[in-house]
Amino acid sequence: MIRTPDSFLLRACIQLVFLLVNIVSVYLLFRGHNLPGGGFIAGLMTGTSCILLGLARGWNVLRHQLPVDPLRLAISGVTLALVTGLLPVVVGQQFLTQYMWHLHHVPLIGELHIGTPLLFDVGVFLLVSGMTVKLITVLVRSTAGLPPFSREEHQLYASVMEEPIEDIEKKHPEKKRKETEDAD
């Protein structure tokens, strides 16, 4: 069991920080094409904000409150980035060729320049934020003495032929003992 601090003030502050960090993250994602920023730094910021939520609320609560599994988010990000890079190849251009569109008279914004680099950055954003959250949650569970994946996650990520190491040690304690003796 991973204990979290039971402080209303901490949870309220973390929620405010979570909101502010994600607003800045979205800003950096959209301005990253022409200025410093982009999908990588925005994804790190979003992943870090989710980690803050996990520290304040608890990792199991965070896992249940995330709308999408972080690893699936990362996979969708890689897919989006690859599709964005490969689409020009389909029409005979080089990999990662950029296409830009300029929209005039957009309400509240004015002119808007969008293009395939933004889609690529969104893919990187999804990849980095998903991997950051997944890696940290696995590390936290492992350091707390829990299995790195829950039973539901293990079914998603492992082969049907695999068993968790913890189950193998319980079923065959003599194997563990022999491995320990061999190591000595």
Side-chain angles (χ1 to χ4, degrees), residues 70-137:
L71 200 55
R72 290 179 188 217
L73 191 69
I75 290 170
S76 65
V78 168
T79 304
L80 179 62
L82 281 176
V83 167
T84 303
L86 287 174
L87 275 179
V89 174
V90 173
V91 294
Q93 299 290 321
Q94 291 185 347
F95 181 68
L96 285 176
T97 299
Q98 298 180 12
Y99 295 99
M100 299 294 292
W101 297 274
H102 303 282
L103 305 174
H104 303 281
H105 310 295
V106 176
L108 301 175
I109 297 176
E111 285 191 34
L112 183 64
H113 308 283
I114 57 173
T116 54
L118 179 61
L119 291 176
F120 183 82
D121 273 344
V122 169
V124 171
F125 169 80
L126 296 174
L127 169 69
V128 172
S129 59
M131 286 306 297
T132 302
V133 171
K134 191 63 183 178
L135 287 175
I136 295 299
T137 53

Side-chain angles (χ1 to χ4, degrees), residues 133-147:
V133 171
K134 191 63 183 178
L135 287 175
I136 295 299
T137 53
V138 166
L139 280 174
V140 166
R141 289 180 60 88
S142 295
T143 56
L146 299 172

Side-chain angles (χ1 to χ4, degrees), residues 10-20 53 57:
L10 175 67
R11 286 193 306 261
C13 287
I14 292 294
Q15 286 178 336
L16 179 64
V17 169
F18 177 81
L19 178 67
L20 293 175
L53 271 184
R57 291 183 176 177

